[in-house]
Amino acid sequence: KQWYHAEYGQILNNVQELLVPSIKSWWSRRSSKKYQGKGGDKEQIAIAMSTPWEADNDLAEQESLFPEYLEMVIQYGFATMFVVAFPIAPLFALMNNIVEIRLDAKKYTELLKRPIPINCMSIGIWYTILDYMASIAIVTNAFVIAFTSDFISQVLWKYNHENTLSQYVAGHLSNYTGPNLNGTEGDETCMYWDYRDEEGRATAWWWKLKAVQFIFVVVFEHFVFTVVRCIDLLIPDVPEKLESLLHLEDSFAREMMKEVIEVDLEQLEDMRQRIEVKRKQRNKYA
């Protein structure tokens, strides 16, 4: 249900991302001085007769990329933190991103002004946020498996009952004895899913199960963290081929700078010699 609301929100957000810039660009063109007094086909004719950069100048202003990053981070959180509860969540996220990447392409190329390019080496703080969210997702999924499913309790029951689930349901039901609810005399006994004795106190099985669940959480998250770090060490951030090309480009740049410096030094030396010759000539006729 939670992912359903998230996907419904993504669909509405995609419609909003395409509709709002269209309205803003239309209003920006209508507010432009060269389109005042024109309407209908005249406006389209004026747009067609103008140069591309003039037409782009009348589009809506480019906004910050913060909402785009925030949208992806929230989607990443839904797809990773609750993937155990809804395993096909990454598939829905992929389908949504395939559609959204085309909508964003239309928005940024046709409906908004071209942004001013800014040189940057990475996505900045967003990488750290995604890294922390991945670590939190590992712990979250471990708790979901341990405490919201019957996986641990079934494994523990098999371990204590000769690898069988015989009497599993009956062994997890507690008894409560009280007066009849229909008003007749006598007591009535009902059964409910819990691990308590007749006095309402937690049984030894409850404590044992909770201990095993916490042990599973610790073991699971340590195992996954270890696998993730090993993969991080085995797969370099920069491919070997690309790294060699970067080194080659850097060596070319160094050689070119060296040649430029040598040429400048030769020119300076030649200029110094000419100045010295002129100085001697001036002293000779002085």
Side-chain angles (χ1 to χ4, degrees):
K1 185 177 180 181
Q2 189 176 18
W3 184 257
Y4 168 78
H5 289 296
E7 279 299 313
Y8 184 71
Q10 289 283 350
I11 294 174
L12 291 180
N13 187 55
N14 289 339
V15 175
Q16 179 183 353
E17 285 187 0
L18 198 61
L19 185 61
V20 172
S22 300
I23 297 175
K24 287 184 177 180
S25 297
W26 174 82
W27 181 254
S28 178
R29 287 195 299 265
R30 298 291 296 180
S31 302
S32 180
K33 293 182 177 180
K34 62 182 178 181
Y35 299 139
Q36 289 181 359
K38 301 178 181 179
D41 296 336
K42 293 182 179 180
E43 180 184 356
Q44 299 298 327
I45 293 173
I47 295 174
M49 292 178 63
S50 62
T51 58
W53 49 88
E54 288 178 329
D56 291 344
N57 187 60
D58 295 323
L59 297 176
E61 290 287 344
Q62 178 69 263
E63 298 179 355
S64 172
L65 291 179
F66 179 83
E68 300 292 337
Y69 280 112
L70 183 61
E71 179 186 358
M72 290 294 100
V73 168
I74 293 175
Q75 185 189 83
Y76 179 77
F78 276 110
T80 55
M81 292 185 181
F82 308 103
V83 66
V84 175
F86 192 62
I88 62 173
L91 176 61
F92 280 98
L94 176 62
M95 294 170 60
N96 175 80
N97 291 338
I98 291 175
V99 175
E100 186 171 358
I101 194 173
R102 306 310 307 169
L103 297 179
D104 286 344
K106 180 177 180 60
K107 179 177 70 174
Y108 287 113
T109 57
E110 298 181 10
L111 302 178
L112 295 175
K113 288 183 180 180
R114 180 177 297 180
I116 299 175
I118 300 176
N119 187 20
C120 59
M121 300 300 295
S122 65
I123 60 176
I125 191 63
W126 294 105
Y127 179 83
T128 304
I129 294 174
L130 292 173
D131 189 31
Y132 277 112
M133 289 185 66
S135 301
I136 296 173
I138 295 173
V139 180
T140 302
N141 284 286
F143 275 98
V144 170
I145 295 173
F147 289 93
T148 64
S149 67
D150 295 330
F151 174 73
I152 303 299
S153 60
Q154 290 180 1
V155 172
L156 185 61
W157 184 271
K158 287 182 179 181
Y159 179 78
N160 289 274
H161 295 82
E162 299 179 355
N163 199 25
T164 179
L165 291 176
S166 177
Q167 301 297 320
Y168 172 76
V169 176
H172 288 71
L173 295 177
S174 300
N175 297 327
Y176 171 76
T177 302
N180 287 324
L181 298 178
N182 55 12
T184 59
E185 297 182 357
D187 295 333
E188 183 181 8
T189 301
C190 64
M191 305 181 72
Y192 60 97
W193 190 275
D194 205 349
Y195 311 99
R196 298 186 179 276
D197 55 19
E198 296 181 356
E199 297 180 359
R201 295 173 299 186
T203 61
W205 177 261
W206 184 87
W207 292 103
K208 187 176 182 179
L209 178 60
K210 296 304 175 184
V212 173
Q213 286 174 334
F214 278 107
I215 291 173
F216 171 81
V217 169
V218 174
V219 173
F220 178 84
E221 58 97 3
H222 275 74
F223 173 75
V224 176
F225 274 126
T226 303
V227 173
V228 170
R229 297 311 172 196
C230 289
I231 294 176
D232 191 21
L233 292 175
L234 292 175
I235 301 177
D237 296 335
V238 181
E240 185 178 354
K241 184 177 181 180
L242 178 59
E243 188 175 4
S244 61
L245 290 175
L246 291 175
H247 284 301
L248 183 62
E249 183 179 358
D250 184 64
S251 63
F252 283 159
R254 290 176 182 272
E255 290 293 332
M256 292 178 64
M257 288 296 297
K258 184 178 179 181
E259 292 178 359
V260 170
I261 292 173
E262 290 178 353
V263 171
D264 291 341
L265 290 176
E266 292 177 357
Q267 292 177 352
L268 288 174
E269 182 64 21
D270 182 60
M271 186 180 297
R272 190 186 66 81
Q273 291 178 358
R274 283 184 291 176
I275 293 174
E276 186 67 24
V277 171
K278 290 182 179 180
R279 184 181 300 170
K280 290 180 178 179
Q281 291 176 353
R282 187 168 54 251
N283 293 334
K284 181 177 178 181
Y285 294 102

